[in-house]
Amino acid sequence: MKPGAGTDADLVQPPELSVVVPMFDEEAVIGLFVERLRPVLDDLGQAYEVLVVDDGSRDTTPALLEKARRDWEQLRVVRLRANAGHQAALSAGLVRARGAWIATIDADLQDPPETIADMLTAAREQSADVVYGVRNDRTTDSAFKRHTAGVYYRMIRRLVGQHVPADAGDFRLMSRAMVDAVNRLPEQNRVLRLVVPALGFPSAQVEYRREERAAGTTKYPLSRMIRLTVDSLTGFSIAPLRLATWFGLGGAAVTFLLLAFALLAFVTDHTVPGWTSTFVAVAAVGAVQLLCLGLLGEYVGRLYTQLQGRPTYHIAYDSEDDTNR
Ligand code: UDP
Ligand code: MG
């Protein structure tokens, strides 16, 4: 057996806490992360596992994780075959985690690991199945990130419901029952920060200060933020489809007016060359139609992927498998 291998006792007894950490190209931050997380978890005085989901990193992340595992036996690494994205990586971690409580946290130390202890206390004191980490101060995020996040949460709360806590990302603690319920959902491309509140389990909140990324750069470029927003909207609301209906109705009303105008011009003998109005009308109708088609396409696409039932991630390796089995 390798050093740091689990004992038989670990096999029988699931740990009290699993900490799920998705990582994608995080070589710059791993050292700092381990240094800060480990004492927090050791001080809890309870059995725990740290389940790092290596989301197909292309840098030295896998090697650094392997090295860290040598002297931290509670560190477990699940590697995905290819980059599957933050949400899919989290889902993979939730399926594999064994703890009675499961915390999810980013690797970049923007979410302070110390808060996990407060979350456990809150969950036990308030008998909550989920404790959301709510950011009370985002001044360390860039102005762009703050504004886009502000718009995102306002829109989501309006469309999906006020039960979605504002400014709660993917830093949270969940009970085994909660995680089992999430794992049973057949939905693919799920946005956990919406799925979890939608299940309606008793919840609590713990505030924390969002810190600056400890090292490295963001793995969430604009394109991924847009993807997350589209998944959030189409996964939780049919409001965009209704928007298509409204556009259609608006378009019909405008067409009706134009028709009246044309008839009036015709009978009063004021027929103008009319290039501009025709052009504008055609362009506007075309745009509205394309927009509505696009909206439909989003939902049809979602149905299609759902029907195909392809997994959103593939596990290549789990360090647990070669130590225990
Ligand atoms: N992440 C991931 N897969 C991806 C993108 C990001 O596992 O495809 C991880 C990343 O390593 C980090 C977390 O998701 O632990 C959040 O990413 P990041 O901090 O870059 O996002 P931001 O805080 O800038 O929104
Ligand atoms: Mg971050």
Side-chain angles (χ1 to χ4, degrees):
M1 257 197 320
K2 284 186 182 178
T7 59
D8 286 349
D10 290 339
L11 261 184
V12 195
Q13 195 75 39
E16 181 68 9
L17 175 71
S18 292
V19 181
V20 173
V21 195
M23 279 195 193
F24 175 55
D25 287 353
E26 295 289 10
E27 61 184 4
V29 93
I30 290 179
L32 298 168
F33 181 69
V34 168
E35 227 168 79
R36 179 125 169 239
L37 181 66
R38 187 166 183 178
V40 173
L41 298 180
D42 285 342
D43 285 352
L44 288 178
Q46 286 159 347
Y48 66 86
E49 66 172 356
V50 174
L51 200 168
V52 170
V53 182
D54 174 5
D55 187 10
S57 301
R58 303 149 304 180
D59 63 359
T60 58
T61 300
L64 291 175
L65 285 173
E66 206 42 49
K67 198 163 144 244
R69 229 162 61 72
R70 267 181 235 145
D71 47 25
W72 193 10
E73 81 172 276
Q74 287 92 340
L75 181 62
R76 175 178 168 197
V77 179
V78 168
R79 181 166 166 81
L80 305 186
R81 285 192 187 274
N83 179 244
H86 183 212
Q87 297 295 311
L90 278 173
S91 293
L94 292 185
V95 169
R96 290 260 155 165
R98 296 178 301 138
W101 293 97
I102 295 99
T104 53
I105 186 171
D106 286 352
D108 58 2
L109 292 173
Q110 286 201 281
D111 311 325
E114 296 75 20
T115 311
I116 295 176
D118 304 337
M119 287 176 166
L120 273 170
T121 314
R124 289 180 178 134
E125 277 175 3
Q126 302 175 42
S127 312
D129 277 293
V130 52
V131 182
Y132 301 106
V134 176
R135 304 154 190 171
N136 58 11
D137 175 7
R138 291 189 73 133
T139 47
T140 50
D141 275 328
S142 70
F144 175 71
K145 189 105 198 172
R146 280 208 306 276
H147 281 107
T148 47
V151 171
Y152 173 82
Y153 284 108
R154 264 204 305 281
M155 186 171 69
I156 292 300
R157 276 164 65 88
R158 234 193 128 128
L159 290 178
V160 179
Q162 298 298 324
H163 59 271
V164 177
D167 267 327
D170 284 303
F171 184 27
R172 72 176 85 74
L173 178 81
M174 291 173 277
S175 68
R176 170 60 28 206
M178 176 91 243
V179 169
D180 286 344
V182 171
N183 289 343
R184 274 197 299 273
L185 293 175
E187 186 181 355
Q188 303 197 328
N189 298 323
R190 52 179 168 224
V191 179
L192 287 164
R193 67 187 70 168
L194 304 184
V195 163
V196 171
L199 288 172
F201 282 42
S203 69
Q205 301 194 348
V206 165
E207 291 199 356
Y208 73 99
R209 191 170 172 278
R210 182 94 162 148
E211 290 174 25
E212 229 155 308
R213 189 177 238 285
T217 52
T218 176
K219 308 297 177 302
Y220 248 97
L222 186 63
S223 57
R224 277 186 193 251
M225 282 159 65
I226 293 174
R227 193 65 250 164
L228 184 74
T229 310
V230 172
D231 278 342
S232 304
L233 284 180
T234 55
F236 267 88
S237 165
I238 57 159
L241 275 180
R242 283 200 204 110
L243 199 68
T245 317
W246 287 114
F247 273 133
L249 285 176
V254 171
T255 316
F256 188 71
L257 286 179
L258 283 176
L259 204 70
F261 170 73
L263 277 177
L264 194 73
F266 181 70
V267 289
T268 53
D269 225 14
H270 276 94
T271 343
V272 282
W275 182 83
T276 320
S277 55
T278 316
F279 180 79
V280 168
V282 169
V285 170
V288 168
Q289 272 182 342
L290 279 181
L291 189 77
C292 296
L293 268 180
L295 284 176
L296 275 174
E298 279 298 329
Y299 287 90
V300 174
R302 230 183 142 78
L303 283 172
Y304 180 62
T305 20
Q306 192 68 32
L307 250 145
Q308 286 176 319
R310 288 195 195 140
T312 48
Y313 59 85
H314 298 276
I315 289 170
Y317 157 82
D318 183 342
S319 60
E320 196 74 4
D321 295 342
D322 56 47
T323 50
N324 274 336
R325 264 159 242 158

